[in-house]
């Protein structure tokens, strides 16, 4: 993949929006001010930490991102043609020959699969870039493909917008090619650089330039980010990992995160910065699976020129509960709204390999419920092949995946039901007995994430009977019942909450499988 890693319990007054549907959830325009991070201290008590966590709010850009639910990754580059997952940086650019490139085909397949944003690997660790850059020769401009005038990023951005899909870009911090040219990890000091840096024959007249501290390579990245963020239309997600090049340990490049973030915020103010970024965090695995209780408010610490980093291990089984807040207390700088993105590839590899096949519909559906259904956003990678097309088997699987989710969650039986709100609960009357085997809940995250535990009950044989219970909710929680339960009246009771909990969805479904 692109990544190398790699209080008090208050009785909640639950306010439900009558007849709320998924598209009506928390509109970005109504977001509160910038309260996405709150300082913490080792002297804070558990009650202090929980109170502060209850006060953290998402930014407008984070609310918009969490509403996407399904996003796509497209790993494409020289690795597609060499068969590697991590390139070397000395590839012959002429190996890049996607003679049948059709980014409209990508966009149609993603639209039909229910995806609302797509991220292209504009530059992977090898340093080969998919657009006409002024700052490197390791690019499509050096390939004979389309006589050196091809621009995958241009085609990609135009196609995605044509089909109503938001545009994201991945620009790898690592760069094997620039290492070979003595720029990456050359030990240079941080000095002020003018961005964009003029080059011979540069006819740009940017309305604004920037003076930012950076190493030689940090400035190279700034210049490439400036190109990508000013010449290809609005960008909605900028995706960084923390990869280091495969270089000697004493040659490590310390990334200029603060300068990179400043440039992104200035040129693409609505874009979320993930995963080595302050807006979105990596869930901690590459299987697309969130934790059973996934919190958007988590303890963080600042490292390496302003990079937002985990206060606990990136793969800790508990990232945001009361226990986690206390455990992180000695090292955490802030509690921050840092929601999880669950990345996984539809195939075994992140780049296309002819001998691999896509995951089954059952696998993808399970991933959906364990990502989107657990307060996270799914990021599914679908790699284009050597022709520049999404493979037919993958396209069919995306369509089948959407159809399966639609059958799992057909019409909400409670959408038009009579609702009664009371302190600590929401009751719905379906008008008649109905079979239910899927339950979907959501908090109004404009007011933070508050619910720590809840129970869902059905009125049966003259009494309220527990159907299921769980912990955190957040922007989306989907519960699958082992067998359908038949009842007319249903209710959800919040049994533990950090502050007043506000539900905007209590959906009841009967799957059509």
């Amino acid at each position: 993949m692109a990544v190398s890693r790699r209080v008090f319990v208050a009785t909640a007054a639950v306010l439900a929006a009558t007849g709320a549907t998924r598209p009506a959830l928390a509109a970005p325009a109504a977001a509160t001010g910038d309260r996405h991070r709150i300082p913490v201290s080792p002297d804070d008590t558990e009650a202090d930490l929980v109170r502060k966590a209850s006060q953290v709010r998402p930014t407008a850009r984070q609310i918009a991102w969490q509403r996407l639910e399904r996003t796509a990754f497209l790993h494409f580059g020289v690795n597609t043609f060499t068969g590697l997952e991590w390139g070397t940086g000395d590839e012959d650019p002429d190996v890049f020959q996607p003679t049948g490139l059709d980014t409209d085909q990508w966009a149609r397949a993603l639209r039909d699969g229910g995806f609302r944003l797509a991220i292209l690997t504009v530059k992977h660790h090898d340093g080969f870039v998919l657009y006409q850059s002024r700052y490197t020769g390791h690019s499509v401009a050096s390939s004979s493909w389309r006589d050196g005038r091809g621009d995958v990023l241009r085609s990609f951005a135009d196609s995605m917008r044509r089909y109503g899909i938001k545009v994201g870009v991945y620009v790898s911090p690592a760069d094997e090619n620039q290492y070979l040219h003595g720029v990456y990890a050359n030990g240079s000091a941080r000095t002020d650089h003018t961005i964009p840096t003029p080059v011979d024959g540069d006819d740009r007249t940017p309305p604004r330039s920037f003076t930012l501290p950076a190493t030689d390579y940090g400035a190279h990245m700034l210049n490439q980010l400036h190109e990508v963020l000013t010449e290809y239309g609005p960008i909605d997600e900028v995706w960084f990992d923390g990869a280091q090049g495969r270089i000697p340990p004493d040659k490590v490049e310390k990334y200029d995160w603060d300068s990179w973030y400043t440039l992104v915020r200035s040129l693409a103010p609505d874009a979320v910065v993930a995963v080595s970024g302050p807006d979105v965090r990596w869930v901690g695995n590459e299987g697309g699976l969130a934790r059973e209780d996934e919190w958007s408010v988590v303890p963080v610490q600042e490292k390496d020129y302003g990079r937002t980093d985990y206060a606990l291990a990136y793969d800790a089984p508990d990232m945001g509960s009361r226990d986690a807040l206390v455990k992180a207390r000695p090292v955490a700088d802030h509690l921050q709204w840092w929601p999880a993105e669950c990345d996984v590839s539809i195939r075994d590899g992140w780049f296309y390999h002819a001998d691999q096949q896509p995951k089954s519909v059952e696998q993808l559906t399970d991933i959906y419920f364990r990502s989107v259904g657990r307060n996270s956003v799914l990021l599914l990678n679908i790699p284009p092949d050597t022709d520049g097309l999404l493979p037919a088997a993958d396209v069919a699987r995306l369509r089948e995946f959407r159809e399966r989710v639609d059958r799992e969650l057909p019409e909400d039986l409670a959408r038009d039901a009579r609702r009664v709100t009371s302190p600590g609960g929401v009751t719905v009357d379906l008008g008649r007995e109905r079979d239910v085997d899927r339950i979907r809940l959501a908090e109004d995250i404009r007011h933070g994430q508050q619910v720590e535990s809840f129970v869902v009950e059905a009125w049966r044989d003259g009494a309220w009977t527990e159907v299921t219970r769980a912990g955190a909710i957040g922007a989306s929680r989907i519960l699958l019942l082992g067998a359908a339960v038949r009842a007319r009246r249903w209710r959800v009771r919040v049994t533990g909450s950090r502050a007043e909990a506000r539900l905007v969805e209590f959906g009841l479904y009967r799957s059509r499988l």
Side-chain angles (χ1 to χ4, degrees), residues 22 25 66 69 294 368 371-376 440-443 445 472-478 505:
R22 294 300 308 166
L25 295 182
Q66 288 187 258
E69 296 192 350
E294 194 67 70
Y368 172 86
S371 56
V372 176
R374 294 180 176 176
N375 188 40
S376 302
R440 185 162 192 167
L441 297 152
E443 293 181 67
I445 61 173
I473 296 179
S476 175
R477 187 70 188 258
I478 305 173
E505 183 169 12

Side-chain angles (χ1 to χ4, degrees), residues 25-330:
L25 295 182
T32 57
D34 189 3
R35 297 162 57 191
H36 77 286
R37 63 191 327 223
I38 292 178
V40 292
S41 162
D43 297 327
D44 284 337
T45 65
E46 178 181 321
D48 292 332
L49 293 170
V50 175
R51 174 178 51 80
K52 289 181 178 182
S54 73
Q55 296 168 348
V56 177
R57 301 290 184 266
T59 63
R61 68 175 71 90
Q62 290 173 315
I63 292 173
W65 178 82
Q66 288 187 258
R67 295 176 71 221
L68 295 173
E69 296 192 350
R70 275 176 275 187
T71 61
F73 222 161
L74 296 117
H75 276 62
F76 191 50
V78 288
N79 291 350
T80 306
F81 299 87
T82 63
L84 299 177
E85 285 287 304
W86 186 314
T88 57
D90 58 358
E91 299 88 355
D92 180 353
D94 210 41
V95 73
F96 187 78
Q97 295 288 336
T99 55
L101 181 72
D102 185 353
T103 53
D104 275 359
Q105 185 249 11
W106 302 1
R108 286 192 298 270
L110 296 179
R111 177 202 61 189
D112 294 346
F115 294 86
R116 302 169 67 183
L117 178 147
I119 303 169
L120 176 67
T121 54
V122 175
K123 185 188 79 166
H124 203 254
H125 310 327
D126 46 73
F128 186 86
V129 300
L130 298 182
Y131 71 98
Q132 300 281 325
S133 176
R134 302 165 180 81
Y135 299 97
T136 180
H138 203 49
S139 75
V140 290
S142 298
S143 168
S144 62
W145 174 65
R146 295 187 177 177
D147 298 323
R149 295 190 293 271
D151 193 321
V152 180
L153 177 55
R154 178 81 60 201
S155 297
F156 167 79
D158 290 347
S159 292
M160 294 302 143
R161 296 191 187 103
R162 188 176 299 123
Y163 285 87
I165 298 172
K166 294 178 180 295
V167 174
V169 293
Y170 162 60
V171 184
S172 173
D175 196 314
E176 302 286 355
N177 180 262
Q178 289 301 304
Y179 176 70
L180 296 174
H181 284 83
V183 178
Y184 182 85
N186 66 4
S188 58
R190 291 218 321 167
T191 59
D192 286 345
H193 291 261
T194 299
I195 306 298
T197 305
V199 297
D200 291 343
D202 195 341
D203 59 355
R204 286 176 296 177
T205 56
R208 178 186 176 190
S209 62
F210 302 82
T211 301
L212 296 166
T215 64
D216 292 347
Y217 175 71
H220 176 80
M221 273 285 288
L222 286 167
N223 279 313
Q224 291 194 318
L225 286 169
H226 190 279
E227 292 176 316
V228 168
L229 298 178
T230 59
E231 300 175 26
Y232 293 89
I235 302 298
D236 296 285
E237 183 166 349
V238 178
W239 208 95
F240 298 122
D241 55 25
Q244 282 283 338
R246 293 182 298 186
I247 56 180
D250 62 337
K251 297 278 188 182
V252 168
E253 173 77 29
K254 194 170 183 180
Y255 298 134
D256 297 302
W257 297 111
D258 51 357
S259 295
W260 299 354
Y261 296 162
T262 295
L263 193 69
V264 174
R265 289 286 190 249
S266 299
L267 299 177
D270 295 329
V272 294
V273 184
V275 154
S276 285
D279 298 317
V280 174
R281 68 179 161 89
W282 180 45
V283 75
N285 64 75
E286 296 182 353
L289 307 178
R291 297 161 182 82
E292 181 71 27
D293 291 317
E294 194 67 70
W295 286 90
S296 295
V297 180
V298 299
V300 302
Q301 57 182 324
E302 194 171 284
K303 293 182 178 179
D304 301 334
Y305 303 131
R307 176 184 177 179
T308 300
D309 208 344
Y310 305 89
L312 300 172
Y314 65 81
D315 58 352
D318 176 5
M319 192 64 76
S321 74
R322 295 173 182 236
D323 287 345
L325 300 182
V326 172
K327 185 177 181 179
R329 182 168 48 191

